[in-house]
Amino acid sequence: MPHDIRRTTSRLHAHITAEWERAHDFDPRDPMAGLNRQDLCGPQLGRRTVLRLLAASGALTAAHLMPGFAMQNARAATGGTLRCGWSGVGEFRTIDPAQINQVLLFQISSNVLSGLTHINPQLVAEGDLALDWEVNEAGTEYVFNLREGVTFHNGDPFTADDVVYTYQRSSNPDKSIHSRVVGNFAAVERVSDHKVKITLQAPQASLLVKTRERSSGRAMTIVSRGALESMGESEYGLKAVGTGPFRVTDHQLGQSMTLERFENYYDPDRPKLDKVIIKPIIDAEPLAAAMEAGDIQLIGGNPVAPELVDRFVANPDLIVHEVAAPGFQSVWMNPHRDPFRVEDFNKPVAELKQEKGFMVRLAIAKAIDRDRYIKQAQFGRGKPGYGTINPAMGFFFDDQLAETSEQRFDVDEARKLLADAGFPDGDGFPEVKILTTPAQRREVQVITNIIKRNLNIDIGIETKDFPVLIDDFNSMRWDMCRLGSGGDFDPDDGLVDWMQSSSKFNGRNRDKDKMAFGFFSDSTVDKLVEDQRIAPNLDARKKLVQEANKITSDKVASAFVFHPADIQVRSKKVNFPAESRIPGLVDLDRVTLAS
Amino acid sequence: MLRFLVHRTLGAIVVIWAVATLVFFMLRIVPGDPIAAMLFDSSPEMAEILRAKYGLDQPIYVQYVKWFWAILQGDFGTSIYGSRLQVSRLIVEALPRTISLASLSFIVAIIIAVPAGLIAATRKNTAADHTVTVVAFLGLSMPDFWLAIVLIIVFAANLQWLPAIGYVPMSEGFWLWLKHLILPSIAAGTAFSAIVARMIRSSMLEVLKADYMQVARSKGLKEHFLILFHAFPNALIPVITVMGIAFALLMTASVVVENVFVIKGLGRLLIQGILNRDYAVVQGTILVVSALFVFVNLLVDALYAVIDPRIRY
């Protein structure tokens, strides 16, 4: 690497590290995240406050800290129609924020509906529907002054009543799947037409993050009462009415959704485009062909199939932008079935290594050549995985784990372990199957091929549709299972959701009389995961997180395989401001088309 | 004839009921919990609330009686996903797309099959016959998704003559509608054209050997007149059965082509319903699909009498 590039990279790394540490420099037990009343009052939040709030909510990523993460001046003229393809989805079932449970759906709703606050080009949170706000000393009361003259797409004026109504709807579990998000709210009251007060049961610094994000903060994304009452819930889900930059003018379920510029949007400079047409495209090849034919100019939705990325990179008319995606992918082995049986994980690794079931688990984990897998199955995109903590978490990611984990790739040791378990060169290994979805069959085939090559054992592949697979997974009805997690911005998303004995994915529907635990249970990990949530400082938390992560890796809670990449593909004619490149979102209000 | 139609219609209704009932119970036997899949990472309590809301916590026979009573009143139920739309609305939206695609695919199949079958029959064991046979087998063995992708790559991505994906209703312009359907129709219709061409060939060969054809020839009729007006109508009787089934299949089994070209027709609606364990959608769609099958076959039976006046019911 040339010296100047190395120096720049080094400076960049230092800058990101410093920003990251400043953002996380607060006591996690402090519900205000070290911020005071002055910090939290609006009309704008400073960059430091925003980064702190993002950190407190677990939403801060390295991407936010990149110097290029700021507004680019639009080079192209306004107007025109942008045609988008949403990858891996057959239809947009709903864009009603109360019902959205997929990222690919709030990518759309973020362009149609608004929140009280949003982020500006300099990564400073400023009012979206709120002009400014005041916080009391205790941090339990927020008074928002709302914009006047804002209207919904149906012409209804936006007032404090809409905020109250949105809260009432969101807090009703029969109406909203996000009722738990507003669980800390004591009340939302109308003070006047354009002033609203939110009272909390306890201080919660992440409140502004939760309400700010008009997309991921779906519980308080403002909906139109008038439209809901006149259209009904179902129709509203198809053509949600909000105060956002675009209004839905047409939605043919499973065909396309058309968004048109909302002429009365409160910011006369936005949106830039006249119209956006979004088509759901399930299959990879038609998506690629549509992109190459110019039928679509930008891909949103689910991650682009890895086999297409090189093809897009080679196309001079396209831009491919890649960042680390927050998630991990694994091969799970059922400890209640032979040959993976482990009665109790609460033993030192050295002791576990004497058990045949554990030897087999470790042999398989060590035999998976992650680099080969990424090359063959993911076409070189992604990072080898050895735990739930992913590289997008930056500070918490343990980049030494590949070397220190018991799962580190070592074919000779893996073969020895398998032989010690009674299966020399794979002889006598019982018939086992790996459960996966039809869509993942190809990449699972790569895994089984690698295991066959390195351990000489055959593993069958069983495909089931996702609803069946997840039902089986939760009930522990599988020998091996290929499953992973996405949208993991905080260590809690991996450790709390997956690695504790009580984790929501840890065999929650199993027969508890026959199986004392799900796929993994370790009391030390349970305690470490609890402790890291109230760790006194960031470094202490990191230590606890990495320790828990290493134990789950060493004890083969699963054979961790890789961390995926987040790839955006668009035509060169699409001028997509860098600030809109927030992992998971596709905000189109500043997007322009080259003339 | 009227008596025949009434009799067959009543029979058709029984068949449709039997199919729908079978599907109702089979869906509940097939593994997979729609609520668990819908909520994925939500709490078991929330799942129970939803299960009760959709009546999925009740005994199967209670669910069946309620469903059947609703069907009798024209209520197909509500999809349990997303916007929870009425199933009847989903079907009504999908039906024109399916009819458009099936009709054009059928036309493509006929346009290819009739001349190919006639040429193969009238020039038996010649190079033309062998060529038609080889092409027919190629058409039969070519997977429709492969053909669809090749068509997209050639005509949409490279030549950019036609759109790669999507559907536009005819109300937005005939040419716009047609150009979105040309590639999907070719992809879906090719395999059926091969089947129909082979059927026409073998049926024509039978007819051409018949005595009345010798008589017609001896009367000095010209060969093309003989083929088109004497042989072909008589050869159509067995072919029309295949055509009927082909049309019914095109109405319901073009799911792969629908997926590739992003056309939300009945097939795709059904497959997504099955994948999501969306009972109401699957039951409603199967009901419509079975009705289509049964009534297309009924229509074919009625057509026999039109084509061959000797056939009376």
Side-chain angles (χ1 to χ4, degrees):
Chain A
M1 187 189 292
H3 182 66
D4 54 341
I5 296 178
R6 197 161 46 221
R7 195 169 53 196
T8 307
T9 308
S10 164
R11 277 184 192 160
L12 185 62
H13 184 260
H15 165 81
I16 291 174
T17 305
E19 286 256 66
W20 184 272
E21 290 186 359
R22 267 198 299 276
H24 286 89
D25 187 16
F26 60 89
D27 183 345
R29 290 173 301 185
D30 176 6
M32 300 301 287
L35 299 168
N36 60 34
R37 175 176 175 274
Q38 210 63 36
D39 294 325
L40 293 170
C41 288
Q44 282 193 335
L45 295 180
R47 179 180 168 86
R48 171 185 157 270
T49 306
V50 172
L51 294 179
R52 177 70 57 80
L53 292 174
L54 284 167
S57 70
L60 185 65
T61 70
H64 291 120
L65 305 173
M66 293 293 284
F69 196 78
M71 179 65 176
Q72 282 181 345
N73 291 327
R75 293 186 303 265
T78 58
T81 300
L82 175 71
R83 299 180 305 277
C84 307
W86 247 233
S87 165
V89 59
E91 62 188 25
F92 308 127
R93 293 169 186 163
T94 181
I95 55 164
D96 176 356
Q99 299 299 330
I100 289 176
N101 63 356
Q102 286 177 288
V103 172
L104 64 94
L105 294 174
F106 68 65
Q107 287 172 345
I108 299 174
S109 71
S110 176
N111 292 289
V112 176
L113 298 115
S114 307
L116 292 182
T117 56
H118 201 51
I119 273 175
N120 80 358
Q122 283 73 43
L123 198 61
V124 173
E126 61 182 22
D128 188 4
L129 290 176
L131 276 174
D132 53 38
W133 53 92
E134 288 283 330
V135 190
N136 71 351
E137 287 296 343
T140 52
E141 285 181 8
Y142 286 71
V143 177
F144 290 88
N145 290 309
L146 307 177
R147 278 181 198 278
E148 295 187 29
V150 174
T151 59
F152 285 97
H153 301 151
N154 63 355
D156 289 352
F158 162 71
T159 68
D161 291 333
D162 297 298
V163 182
V164 175
Y165 174 74
T166 298
Y167 164 67
Q168 288 169 344
R169 185 168 182 256
S170 285
S171 58
N172 180 353
D174 197 36
K175 297 276 183 190
S176 169
I177 61 174
H178 311 300
S179 55
R180 283 195 290 187
V181 175
V182 289
N184 186 35
F185 282 35
V188 177
E189 299 161 275
R190 174 188 190 275
V191 178
S192 68
D193 268 2
H194 294 98
K195 187 174 280 195
V196 68
K197 184 166 91 174
I198 296 178
T199 309
L200 304 177
Q201 295 174 26
Q204 179 190 350
S206 65
L207 172 77
L208 289 172
V209 175
K210 295 280 187 195
T211 58
R212 171 187 63 73
E213 267 295 335
R214 63 188 181 204
S215 44
S216 58
R218 290 154 281 167
M220 285 304 288
T221 303
I222 305 301
V223 293
S224 161
R225 179 180 201 158
L228 268 160
E229 286 175 354
S230 65
M231 297 165 75
E233 302 265 343
S234 296
E235 195 63 26
Y236 191 85
L238 291 182
K239 296 180 181 177
V241 171
T243 56
F246 294 95
R247 61 194 176 93
V248 184
T249 53
D250 185 45
H251 186 183
Q252 296 173 43
L253 193 66
Q255 286 299 140
S256 67
M257 182 184 282
T258 304
L259 312 180
E260 287 185 24
R261 174 190 166 87
F262 178 39
E263 294 296 339
N264 294 327
Y265 187 53
Y266 66 75
D267 181 353
D269 291 334
R270 287 182 291 156
K272 310 282 188 190
L273 296 163
D274 288 334
K275 194 193 271 192
V276 178
I277 298 171
I278 306 173
K279 293 180 180 179
I281 306 176
I282 291 186
D283 293 335
E285 189 55 43
L287 181 84
M291 196 73 199
E292 287 159 354
D295 272 20
I296 57 171
Q297 298 157 303
L298 182 143
I299 297 177
N302 282 326
V304 173
E307 63 267 31
L308 296 179
V309 179
D310 281 340
R311 196 164 133 189
F312 290 142
V313 169
N315 188 328
D317 298 328
L318 302 178
I319 293 172
V320 177
H321 188 251
E322 182 179 333
V323 294
F328 72 92
Q329 297 295 327
S330 276
V331 170
W332 306 85
M333 291 170 276
N334 193 334
H336 305 285
R337 291 190 184 182
D338 288 327
F340 312 112
R341 193 176 294 277
V342 174
E343 302 288 348
D344 183 6
F345 283 98
N346 289 292
K347 298 170 186 172
V349 174
E351 204 174 312
L352 281 169
K353 276 182 166 177
Q354 306 305 312
E355 296 181 16
K356 286 186 177 177
F358 185 80
M359 289 180 200
V360 172
R361 296 170 71 87
L362 189 55
I364 286 178
K366 290 181 81 68
I368 297 176
D369 181 347
R370 275 87 171 165
D371 290 328
R372 177 181 281 270
Y373 164 81
I374 288 170
K375 190 176 170 191
Q376 292 183 347
Q378 302 297 329
F379 295 82
R381 289 179 173 81
K383 268 187 172 293
Y386 293 89
T388 62
I389 306 302
N390 64 70
M393 290 180 194
F395 182 73
F396 293 104
F397 182 64
D398 181 354
D399 53 13
Q400 299 300 309
L401 195 59
E403 295 304 319
T404 60
S405 170
E406 291 286 345
Q407 294 196 29
R408 70 185 173 276
F409 178 57
D410 187 330
V411 176
D412 293 337
E413 209 176 323
R415 283 181 184 153
K416 184 176 181 305
L417 280 163
L418 196 67
D420 292 347
F423 309 109
D425 196 31
D427 287 348
F429 196 81
E431 192 178 309
V432 292
K433 284 184 176 168
I434 183 166
L435 181 60
T436 187
T437 59
Q440 286 188 319
R441 189 184 175 94
R442 186 188 66 81
E443 61 121 332
V444 170
Q445 185 75 60
V446 174
I447 293 174
T448 57
N449 286 350
I450 290 172
I451 294 172
K452 167 76 178 169
R453 175 194 170 103
N454 292 337
L455 293 179
N456 197 29
I457 56 177
D458 290 305
I459 295 172
I461 299 175
E462 185 177 22
T463 58
K464 289 188 177 178
D465 301 330
F466 188 74
V468 185
L469 179 139
I470 198 65
D471 200 19
D472 281 359
F473 185 76
N474 286 333
S475 306
M476 300 295 296
R477 290 190 296 259
W478 41 274
D479 300 326
M480 300 171 83
C481 186
R482 168 70 185 81
L483 196 65
S485 178
D488 300 351
F489 290 100
D490 187 271
D492 279 7
D493 294 319
L495 292 172
V496 175
D497 289 356
W498 293 85
M499 289 299 152
Q500 282 190 296
S501 302
S502 57
S503 290
K504 62 183 177 184
F505 295 119
N506 198 349
R508 71 168 182 234
N509 295 339
R510 70 186 186 276
D511 182 343
K512 294 182 177 68
D513 293 333
K514 292 180 181 165
M515 289 175 266
F517 59 93
F519 48 71
F520 181 71
S521 174
D522 182 274
S523 57
T524 309
V525 170
D526 288 346
K527 186 169 186 318
L528 285 167
V529 175
E530 277 310 307
D531 289 350
Q532 61 90 24
R533 298 177 84 177
I534 52 165
N537 59 56
L538 195 60
D539 287 328
R541 188 184 183 204
K542 177 180 175 179
K543 191 166 176 286
L544 294 168
V545 163
Q546 291 192 345
E547 195 178 338
N549 193 39
K550 183 157 190 318
I551 295 173
T552 61
S553 188
D554 288 344
K555 292 193 175 180
V556 200
S558 84
F560 298 100
V561 181
F562 84 111
H563 301 292
D566 176 21
I567 295 156
Q568 188 200 58
V569 183
R570 64 180 194 269
S571 159
K572 278 193 172 157
K573 291 177 181 168
V574 178
N575 180 28
F576 199 102
E579 90 206 75
S580 298
R581 186 68 177 100
I582 303 167
L585 291 186
V586 189
D587 280 3
L588 299 170
D589 50 350
R590 290 184 177 86
V591 169
T592 52
L593 292 171
S595 49
Chain B
M1 182 71 167
L2 185 66
R3 196 177 157 192
F4 163 79
L5 286 177
V6 171
H7 182 74
R8 285 293 304 270
T9 305
L10 289 174
I13 290 168
V14 174
V15 170
I16 294 165
W17 166 78
V19 169
T21 300
L22 198 65
V23 169
F24 181 93
F25 287 104
M26 280 174 70
L27 265 177
R28 280 149 181 85
I29 294 167
V30 170
D33 177 359
I35 301 295
M38 187 168 89
L39 293 173
F40 184 42
D41 61 349
S42 194
S43 63
E45 295 76 28
M46 189 68 191
E48 284 312 311
I49 290 171
L50 281 175
R51 204 165 274 120
K53 185 175 175 178
Y54 290 103
L56 296 170
D57 58 338
Q58 295 174 327
I60 290 181
Y61 69 89
V62 175
Q63 291 182 41
Y64 176 74
V65 171
K66 284 188 171 178
W67 168 77
F68 192 66
W69 181 242
I71 289 289
L72 288 178
Q73 296 172 83
D75 179 5
F76 282 38
T78 308
S79 166
I80 61 168
Y81 281 92
S83 294
R84 288 151 199 187
L85 295 171
Q86 289 287 318
V87 172
S88 51
R89 176 180 167 172
L90 293 171
I91 292 171
V92 165
E93 283 180 356
L95 208 51
R97 299 172 193 141
T98 293
I99 291 173
S100 297
L101 176 60
S103 305
L104 278 181
S105 306
F106 189 68
I107 291 169
V108 167
I110 298 300
I111 287 173
I112 299 171
V114 171
L118 290 179
I119 289 168
T122 53
R123 298 179 188 181
K124 190 185 167 193
N125 292 332
T126 64
D129 180 22
H130 295 319
T131 307
V132 168
T133 304
V134 169
V135 171
F137 277 116
L138 264 179
L140 263 176
S141 18
M142 223 171 354
D144 49 3
F145 71 88
W146 181 83
L147 178 62
I149 286 167
V150 168
L151 289 171
I152 289 177
I153 290 169
V154 174
F155 294 101
N158 292 340
L159 297 172
Q160 304 204 348
W161 288 352
L162 295 163
I165 52 165
Y167 171 84
V168 173
M170 206 191 283
S171 57
E172 290 184 25
F174 179 77
W175 171 237
L176 210 54
W177 168 81
L178 184 64
K179 78 175 184 181
H180 277 85
L181 284 173
I182 290 174
L183 297 183
S185 303
I186 294 171
T190 301
F192 289 102
S193 73
I195 298 168
V196 176
R198 294 297 297 164
M199 274 301 293
I200 290 176
R201 180 185 180 275
S202 59
S203 183
M204 279 291 287
L205 286 175
E206 286 294 315
V207 171
L208 288 172
K209 283 188 240 164
D211 291 344
Y212 63 86
M213 289 302 296
Q214 302 300 329
V215 173
R217 264 194 200 98
S218 64
K219 281 160 67 181
L221 289 176
K222 288 187 177 172
E223 190 65 16
H224 68 270
F225 187 87
L226 198 74
I227 299 292
L228 288 178
F229 297 101
H230 283 253
F232 186 52
N234 285 300
L236 267 182
I237 301 290
V239 175
I240 210 140
T241 309
V242 175
M243 284 181 172
I245 293 168
F247 186 73
L249 281 173
L250 281 168
M251 290 280 284
T252 54
S254 301
V255 62
V256 174
V257 172
E258 286 178 354
N259 256 352
V260 172
F261 289 98
V262 191
I263 298 172
K264 181 77 184 286
L266 277 184
R268 198 164 143 194
L269 184 66
L270 179 60
I271 293 295
Q272 273 195 309
I274 293 169
L275 292 177
N276 294 334
R277 301 293 182 274
D278 198 342
Y279 293 161
V281 170
V282 177
Q283 286 156 195
T285 314
I286 289 279
L287 204 63
V288 173
V289 165
S290 55
L292 281 170
F293 250 93
V294 169
F295 283 105
V296 165
N297 278 303
L298 184 61
L299 190 69
V300 167
D301 287 350
L303 270 177
Y304 288 157
V306 177
I307 292 166
D308 188 347
R310 290 170 301 176
I311 297 173
R312 286 285 174 267
Y313 296 109

